Amino acid sequence: MSETNERNADLKALIRTIPDFPKPGIQFRDITTLLLDPAGWATAIERMVEAVSGPVDLVAGIEARGFLFAAALAAPLKAGVLLIRKDGKLPGATIAEDYALEYGTDRIAIHADAFAPGARVLLVDDLIATGGTARAAVRLLHKAGAVVTQAQFLVDLPDLGGAEALRTDGIEATALIHFPGH
């Protein structure tokens, strides 16, 4: 992990930390400052593409910032883009998956006909914390017949265990940058 952080120290320096947001004790990792830097954004995408293992048919992005990463990664990977949306946002027939939040539950969905069974899907998002949404996305993709073996994130908060939970589920989870704490 420290080797990854050292290699990506240039990108880590572009991410602003906002203390006590959205509540006291939280160190919010604001990636918008990296997105505003053309060279930093391009470098982040290049490095994420380099980390992909084998061919993929689709890059699935989790709403909303995951959409940016999915679209940017899909082009050089010669893959399509699959949007994983909050429930109720897609027209037509969908399949959905519920997952637990700190206080309640939420639901994500994809179009029922988004891809043919057996499609190789790379899951991406901007950040992984507890992994609840990412794990629900993997379950949803599996339910639809996808082969999901890897997930990528710009930022991992390893103290919250999300990437490790994905690994326990058999998913190769990687991130360019790791921040301690939450």
Side-chain angles (χ1 to χ4, degrees), residues 2 7-8 48 62 91 97 116 154:
S2 62
R7 178 174 185 254
N8 296 305
M48 289 176 83
I62 300 171
E97 181 72 25
L154 176 66

Side-chain angles (χ1 to χ4, degrees), residues 142-168:
H142 284 160
K143 187 188 302 186
V147 176
V148 185
T149 60
Q150 54 189 320
Q152 285 200 5
F153 306 91
L154 176 66
V155 174
D156 180 15
L157 305 178
D159 294 345
L160 296 178
E164 189 56 39
L166 281 174
R167 289 184 202 102
T168 299

